[in-house]
């Protein structure tokens, strides 16, 4: 699928990996809808990138919020070609700690946002994609979700986060099979350690220490590299039903 003239939705698009994806799409000639709760940051991107970007304040867990925004994108742009899900949260809580067992509410909240939110958006985006005229290769749409290497090598305190990212990776193949009839592809990216605003907030010393564990390149990933991978998936029709590690060969200890 060509990025030029495509219409893309990017959840969590106001910052980090989502922002890098938005910028990459805009550079490639796409129109982009940012779904995020950060109105201030989202509007700054709209002001910077121009009319090809629109911001929608969306709670990915809410069916009504997502459905309303997706209807608006389809109405404003005439179609939806690409859906990239980057929205998510993370925290560190051990299964059993000094204060007792892992709080159930915290576990549920993370699963709701990372798993239910991702599913909620791509299922409704897929419905709109089925209405598209197929291109010369029979494609009607592309969905890209964001997992993590923690889906495979979760560290201490990552039981909820790892469960959520493992679920996203596990959904990929069955969804690819479900949507094959409609000519809609889906892939998942499992990033390693990236230099997002969250990582930058930890300070240079911490970032340098994290980079020590990356075999090569011996550094944290650049968000633009994530955006590049998204574009490669969109433009490579034979990529489908796969979870791709983007991690410099790191394996979390």
């Amino acid at each position: 699928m060509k990025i030029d003239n495509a219409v893309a939705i990017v959840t969590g698009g106001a910052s980090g990996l989502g922002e890098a994806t938005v910028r990459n799409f805009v550079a490639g000639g796409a129109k982009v809808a940012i779904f995020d709760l950060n109105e201030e940051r989202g509007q700054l991107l709209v002001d910077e990138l121009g009319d090809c970007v629109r911001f929608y304040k969306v709670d990915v867990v809410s069916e009504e919020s997502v459905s309303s925004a997706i209807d608006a994108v389809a109405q404003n742009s005439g179609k939806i070609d690409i859906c990239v899900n980057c929205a998510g949260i993370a925290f560190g809580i051990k299964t059993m700690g000094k204060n007792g067992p892992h709080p159930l509410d915290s576990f549920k909240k993370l699963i709701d946002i990372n798993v239910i939110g991702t599913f909620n958006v791509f299922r409704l985006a897929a419905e709109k994609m089925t209405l598209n005229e197929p291109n010369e290769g029979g494609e009607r749409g592309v969905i890209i979700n964001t997992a993590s290497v923690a889906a495979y090598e979760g560290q201490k305190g990552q039981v909820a986060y790892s469960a959520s990212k493992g679920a996203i990776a596990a959904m990929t193949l069955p969804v690819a099979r479900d949507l094959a009839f409609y000519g809609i592809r889906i892939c998942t990216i499992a990033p390693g350690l990236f230099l997002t605003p969250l990582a930058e907030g930890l300070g240079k010393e911490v970032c340098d220490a994290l980079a020590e564990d990356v075999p090569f390149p011996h550094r944290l990933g650049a968000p633009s590299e994530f955006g590049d991978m998204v574009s490669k998936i969109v433009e490579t029709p034979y990529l489908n039903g796969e979870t791709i590690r983007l991690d410099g060969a790191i394996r979390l200890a």
Side-chain angles (χ1 to χ4, degrees), residues 9 11 35 58 60 66-67 70 80-86 113-130 141-146 167-179 184-188:
I9 291 170
T11 73
F35 285 11
V58 176
V60 295
V66 173
S67 181
I70 283 180
I80 295 172
D81 301 299
I82 305 164
C83 174
V84 183
N85 287 292
C86 296
I113 295 173
N114 291 8
V115 182
I116 306 301
T118 293
F119 179 72
N120 190 29
V121 174
F122 79 64
R123 73 186 180 95
L124 295 174
E127 181 182 28
K128 297 298 184 185
M129 291 175 181
T130 64
V142 182
I143 297 164
I144 300 171
N145 293 331
T146 306
I168 291 171
M171 285 193 289
T172 308
L173 182 57
V175 174
R177 289 169 167 168
D178 286 347
L179 299 181
I184 298 171
R185 294 187 289 116
I186 178 171
C187 281
T188 295

Side-chain angles (χ1 to χ4, degrees), residues 91 93-95 99-112 159-160:
F91 54 69
I93 302 176
K94 291 183 179 180
T95 306
N99 298 319
H102 194 304
L104 188 59
D105 286 347
S106 298
F107 191 95
K108 285 181 175 179
K109 179 180 179 180
L110 196 146
I111 296 296
D112 274 349
V159 57

Side-chain angles (χ1 to χ4, degrees), residues 209-223:
L210 290 172
E212 286 295 316
D213 293 328
V214 183
F216 187 81
H218 203 48
R219 59 173 172 79
L220 301 187

Side-chain angles (χ1 to χ4, degrees), residues 164-206:
S164 72
K165 295 305 185 178
I168 291 171
M171 285 193 289
T172 308
L173 182 57
V175 174
R177 289 169 167 168
D178 286 347
L179 299 181
F181 175 81
Y182 303 100
I184 298 171
R185 294 187 289 116
I186 178 171
C187 281
T188 295
I189 301 173
L193 304 177
F194 272 71
L195 191 59
T196 61
L198 179 63
E200 289 175 332
L202 299 174
K204 186 177 185 303
E205 186 175 340
V206 174

Side-chain angles (χ1 to χ4, degrees), residues 19 33-34 36 43 47-48 56 58 71 100 148-149 168 174 203 246 253:
E19 178 185 342
I34 297 173
D36 208 302
Q43 192 55 51
D47 293 342
E48 177 189 347
Y56 298 82
V58 176
D71 284 345
S148 165
V149 295
I168 291 171
L246 187 65

Side-chain angles (χ1 to χ4, degrees), residues 3 16 18 26 31 34 59 63 70-71 73 96 110 125 131 139-140 149 154 159 188 220 238:
I3 292 174
V26 170
K31 295 180 180 178
I34 297 173
D59 177 0
E63 182 170 8
I70 283 180
D71 284 345
V73 174
M96 178 61 67
L110 196 146
L131 304 176
E139 288 185 283
R140 286 189 170 91
V149 295
V159 57
T188 295
L220 301 187
Y238 213 57

